[in-house]
Amino acid sequence: MQISVLGAGAWGTALAAQAATRHPTRLWARDPAQAAAIAASRRNARYLADVALPSALEVTADLADALAHAGTDGLLIVATPMAGLREMLQRLPDGAAVLWLSKGFEAGSGRLGHEIAREAAPQLRAGVLSGPSFALEVARGQPTALVAASQDAALCQSAITALHGPTLRIYSSSDPVGVEVGGAVKNVLAIATGMADGMNLGLNARAALITRGLAEMTRLGLALGGRAETFMGLSGLGDLVLTATGDLSRNRRVGLKLAEGQTLERILVELGHVSEGVYSARTVLERATALGVEMPITRAVVGVLQGDCTPREAVQALMQREARSES
């Protein structure tokens, strides 16, 4: 199978490196200088400097070349941030089979990836690839499990054919809504958990935040048309646990730094990479509010990000909520 990965950030590069061990794979970088540097050094110096890329992986800055490589029978994988997903989907040829790695809600429209595709590029065979995955570990070939979600069963099978191997296990799902809600909301909840850990609130507090955060995620997902069982899977509970507790999580680091009293502006500059939870939090809350879904942890995170309260004040407000049935 011919595979083209569109986007040479950490995640796109890592997945392309794994795909190239089994299939002809081409990685597209928007910046010609970056593409040339990756091709020459066999490393992505900005995002994965310590990982040597396979010699079989081709690199290009020519989008037409990358699309031609995949052809009509291959697979396109969009690895841009959510902010770039709409533009990229609109540039793909009619009928192309495409999966995106983007997680979050689109700024302005508040759309999830499947909603963007339905609105901007309905001619595509489209789906999402998500799950608990740090790019560095995937690039190193450490065991990882992901889920390909689409209502197009053949597309899910293409993802399995393209990527399933000794260190990368691909499951399939017909619930892209649930998978995308999990991938978006877990970033916001990871900020909350980072703040709690940064204030040394303890493991009890961490467990409570993750568990009640999962309840929030599930409520929103069901309201948007997802299925309950999806949130107990890789893209729900799995991705939430990883992002909320893993030291490689950018969203968790944002929460830790906020707990130290750093400003959000400084944190984002020092981070140097996209933290989708920062950009998605307000949109998550807006969509939940419009649907009548209660998300108190998300509301608390938004309050801190907007400067309306400190992390400690947000925790106090959560703890002072009235007692209620867990279910």
Side-chain angles (χ1 to χ4, degrees), residues 312-325:
R312 195 162 297 278
E313 288 170 341
V315 171
Q316 290 172 347
L318 287 171
M319 293 302 294
Q320 290 169 1
R321 284 167 50 81
E322 291 183 5
R324 62 194 62 207
S325 169

Side-chain angles (χ1 to χ4, degrees), residues 160-221:
I160 293 170
T161 300
L163 301 171
H164 194 87
T167 63
L168 193 57
R169 186 171 181 84
I170 308 297
Y171 290 82
S172 62
S173 169
S174 59
D175 181 21
V177 178
V179 167
E180 288 203 301
V181 171
V185 178
K186 58 92 181 182
N187 289 324
V188 181
L189 300 173
I191 295 175
T193 310
M195 287 193 289
D197 286 349
M199 290 185 286
N200 296 311
L201 297 185
L203 299 178
N204 293 349
R206 178 195 285 184
L209 271 174
I210 291 174
T211 306
R212 296 312 303 163
L214 179 62
E216 288 193 14
M217 175 194 294
T218 304
R219 286 198 296 268
L220 179 60

Side-chain angles (χ1 to χ4, degrees), residues 44-111:
N44 188 327
R46 180 176 180 186
Y47 295 104
L48 294 169
D50 296 333
V51 178
L53 302 178
S55 58
L57 177 62
E58 301 176 8
V59 185
T60 182
D62 184 341
L63 181 60
D65 176 61
L67 297 179
H69 173 78
T72 57
D73 298 323
L75 180 65
L76 296 170
I77 299 175
V78 176
T80 66
M82 182 56 72
L85 180 60
R86 181 181 295 267
E87 176 194 357
M88 183 56 67
L89 293 180
Q90 290 174 328
R91 299 175 71 178
L92 304 185
D94 290 358
V98 57
L99 295 168
W100 51 83
L101 310 178
S102 316
K103 295 179 180 179
F105 290 84
E106 184 183 43
S109 75
R111 302 281 195 271

Side-chain angles (χ1 to χ4, degrees), residues 105 112 175 177-189 209-238 240 284 287-288 291-298 326-327:
F105 290 84
L112 288 162
D175 181 21
V177 178
V179 167
E180 288 203 301
V181 171
V185 178
K186 58 92 181 182
N187 289 324
V188 181
L189 300 173
L209 271 174
I210 291 174
T211 306
R212 296 312 303 163
L214 179 62
E216 288 193 14
M217 175 194 294
T218 304
R219 286 198 296 268
L220 179 60
L222 293 177
L224 288 169
R227 298 199 297 264
E229 62 269 22
T230 300
F231 299 98
M232 296 305 296
L234 291 167
S235 62
L237 178 60
L240 173 58
V284 171
R287 293 207 69 170
L291 293 165
V293 175
E294 191 175 16
M295 300 187 73
I297 298 173
T298 299
E326 183 180 29
S327 57

Side-chain angles (χ1 to χ4, degrees), residues 113-136:
H114 73 278
E115 295 171 316
I116 295 171
R118 186 171 58 214
E119 179 179 283
Q123 75 283 0
L124 299 175
R125 297 177 54 218
V128 58
L129 184 66
S130 191
S133 50
F134 287 138
L136 180 60

Side-chain angles (χ1 to χ4, degrees), residues 132-137 186-187 189-195 197-198 203 206 210 237-257 271:
S133 50
F134 287 138
L136 180 60
E137 293 189 0
K186 58 92 181 182
N187 289 324
L189 300 173
I191 295 175
T193 310
M195 287 193 289
D197 286 349
L203 299 178
R206 178 195 285 184
I210 291 174
L237 178 60
D239 211 356
L240 173 58
V241 170
L242 179 75
T243 311
T245 65
D247 291 337
L248 293 175
S249 166
R250 294 191 294 271
N251 294 285
R252 172 177 165 77
R253 274 183 274 166
V254 169
L256 290 168
K257 296 296 184 182
L271 196 63

